[in-house]
Amino acid sequence: MRVYIGPANDDEIIVQLVDPYHTFCSSTANQSDYHRMKMDTLLGGLDHLDKKKTVWVFGYGSLMWNPNFNFQRKLTGHINGFVRRFWQGNTTHRGTLEKPGRVATLAKQHQGCVWGVAFQMVGVDQIREGLDYLYTREAVLGGYEAFVTKFHVRGTNDLPVDVLVFTATSSSHLYMGPADTNVMAEQIFNTRGQAGPNTDYVTNIADYIRKHIPEDNDDHLFSLDQTLRYLITSSGNSSASKNDCKVSVSKTEQEYITEIVKHSLSMSKAGTENRKKYDHSVPSEHYKDINVDLSLNAKSTKHFSLTTDIVTTEHYKLQTAQA
Ligand SMILES: N[C@@H](CCC(=O)N[C@@H](CS)C(=O)NCC(=O)O)C(=O)O
């Protein structure tokens, strides 16, 4: 096991865990021993550092809205070469052994980009406390691994910062891998863990990104979020998540939209791609107008987006019988 602590570059520590995870785990030692050893070695390597040193940690999932460790400051920005994917299983915070949840991890992708938040810990005490917490939360409980990459701060041309990132690959015993959005949404909608519904986990990330990082157009995240909000609305199960749909479509609008969808379905008998823009004002005590943008395709899934005068635009995915 070797931990490389690079030269004190601009008062930052360049900490690289160079031990290849998979070679260690192929041995008889179990994973928590491995993580403890990694963390001890990493922290042990920090002892000689003076108080000025800092370590940056990048959050792209729950760390963004729930870091739960002490830090000096935080910056918004992105890392390159990856994409955010809900492919890591979870049996503690957001799932159980019987019904694992899905949480965010990173998948390598050429020219990929993941937006998030970098948290700066300063001084050996804050670093030790923070990394000890993160290794338990992320590595031991979450099955994540740490690596170092470059973080590009939003709105500056400064040199990128070296950040510690926690991610999970197929080498994790909790890894669930890719699945159709509807399949993932059903899995997520139907499980909860010690930290609450798995649905909240996804909608909290989507809400955070919409509010704080509008540059991030993560289709994987937002299509999952939209499908989950549709499940919440259509099941009327407000207990599934404390973040029920921000836009509750009243009966009037629901009937109205149903009429539009029926009309559109009748028009899509040819089954060809048929995009219709319906601009209608629907007087309602809640909304001044509703724009329903229907894109119909032969795959029997109908999308329509509901834009109201309220902040968010909600997209609904309507599964219908073969038109
Ligand atoms: N490493 C990712 C994901 C971290 C994450 O979401 N971890 C989960 C699973 S262990 C967690 O801590 N969840 C807390 C919660 O669900 O409230 C990040 O940088 O944000």
Side-chain angles (χ1 to χ4, degrees):
M1 157 68 82
R2 284 173 297 119
V3 175
Y4 168 71
I5 294 183
N9 168 23
D10 297 334
D11 273 348
E12 311 283 1
I13 308 165
I14 298 175
V15 173
Q16 289 195 328
L17 299 170
V18 292
D19 176 67
Y21 178 79
H22 56 280
T23 52
F24 184 91
C25 280
S26 59
S27 70
T28 53
N30 67 38
Q31 292 190 11
S32 56
D33 289 348
Y34 168 84
H35 290 308
R36 174 57 55 195
M37 187 178 168
K38 268 187 117 174
M39 193 268 293
D40 289 349
T41 309
L42 176 63
L43 296 177
L46 299 179
D47 273 348
H48 70 283
L49 298 170
D50 65 36
K51 297 287 182 194
K52 283 188 305 174
K53 299 301 177 192
T54 71
V55 168
W56 290 86
V57 175
F58 179 61
Y60 57 90
S62 66
L63 290 184
M64 290 189 293
W65 44 268
N66 177 29
N68 205 23
F69 61 90
N70 294 319
F71 56 87
Q72 188 87 350
R73 63 183 171 132
K74 65 178 184 178
L75 296 171
T76 299
H78 70 274
I79 62 173
N80 292 324
F82 298 92
V83 288
R84 181 191 290 111
R85 291 290 181 269
F86 290 86
W87 292 353
Q88 176 65 351
N90 187 266
T91 56
T92 51
H93 289 99
R94 297 292 172 171
T96 63
L97 286 170
E98 298 73 31
K99 291 168 78 175
R102 280 184 175 265
V103 292
T105 186
L106 299 177
K108 280 187 180 170
Q109 187 178 92
H110 182 57
Q111 296 190 331
C113 169
V114 179
W115 284 91
V117 177
F119 300 93
Q120 184 187 36
M121 296 184 284
V122 179
V124 175
D125 295 341
Q126 190 171 78
I127 293 171
R128 177 184 298 282
E129 179 194 322
L131 289 185
D132 196 1
Y133 166 76
L134 284 167
Y135 261 91
T136 302
R137 165 175 169 174
E138 297 289 282
V140 178
L141 294 176
Y144 289 94
E145 264 304 292
F147 73 102
V148 175
T149 191
K150 296 289 184 188
F151 174 79
H152 301 265
V153 182
R154 176 169 65 179
T156 76
N157 293 318
D158 297 349
L159 282 175
V161 175
D162 284 285
V163 286
L164 203 57
V165 189
F166 291 91
T167 185
T169 63
S170 53
S171 61
S172 164
H173 65 294
L174 292 170
Y175 190 72
M176 292 175 80
D180 176 81
T181 301
N182 292 331
V183 170
M184 289 197 287
E186 287 290 341
Q187 289 169 336
I188 291 167
F189 185 70
N190 290 301
T191 192
R192 59 183 303 127
Q194 296 153 21
N198 197 184
T199 301
D200 285 0
Y201 175 88
V202 178
T203 55
N204 284 352
I205 294 173
D207 285 345
Y208 184 93
I209 296 280
R210 265 192 286 264
K211 185 174 179 186
H212 298 287
I213 316 180
E215 301 90 330
D216 189 355
N217 53 9
D218 181 339
D219 288 340
H220 175 84
L221 166 64
F222 291 124
S223 59
L224 189 56
D225 174 61
Q226 292 154 11
T227 308
L228 284 167
R229 290 173 193 270
Y230 175 73
L231 289 175
I232 293 166
T233 309
S234 53
S235 72
N237 175 4
S238 58
S239 64
S241 155
K242 66 177 171 36
N243 290 334
D244 283 355
C245 248
K246 295 282 185 292
V247 175
S248 58
V249 182
S250 76
K251 189 119 180 59
T252 318
E253 285 84 354
Q254 187 69 47
E255 285 165 351
Y256 175 79
I257 289 168
T258 307
E259 272 317 299
I260 290 181
V261 174
K262 275 182 192 164
H263 171 67
S264 313
L265 286 177
S266 64
M267 287 173 63
S268 69
K269 278 289 178 248
T272 52
E273 181 69 25
N274 180 3
R275 192 174 183 83
K276 291 287 173 211
K277 179 101 182 139
Y278 293 79
D279 286 322
H280 296 259
S281 68
V282 176
S284 127
E285 68 280 9
H286 300 304
Y287 314 114
K288 295 187 191 58
D289 63 71
I290 290 183
N291 299 317
V292 181
D293 177 3
L294 287 169
S295 59
L296 304 169
N297 58 46
K299 298 190 193 68
S300 82
T301 54
K302 314 297 170 208
H303 300 257
F304 65 91
S305 64
L306 180 66
T307 310
T308 75
D309 56 356
I310 292 185
V311 177
T312 59
T313 296
E314 295 299 332
H315 297 266
Y316 295 86
K317 190 170 193 171
L318 196 59
Q319 298 285 4
T320 57
Q322 185 64 33

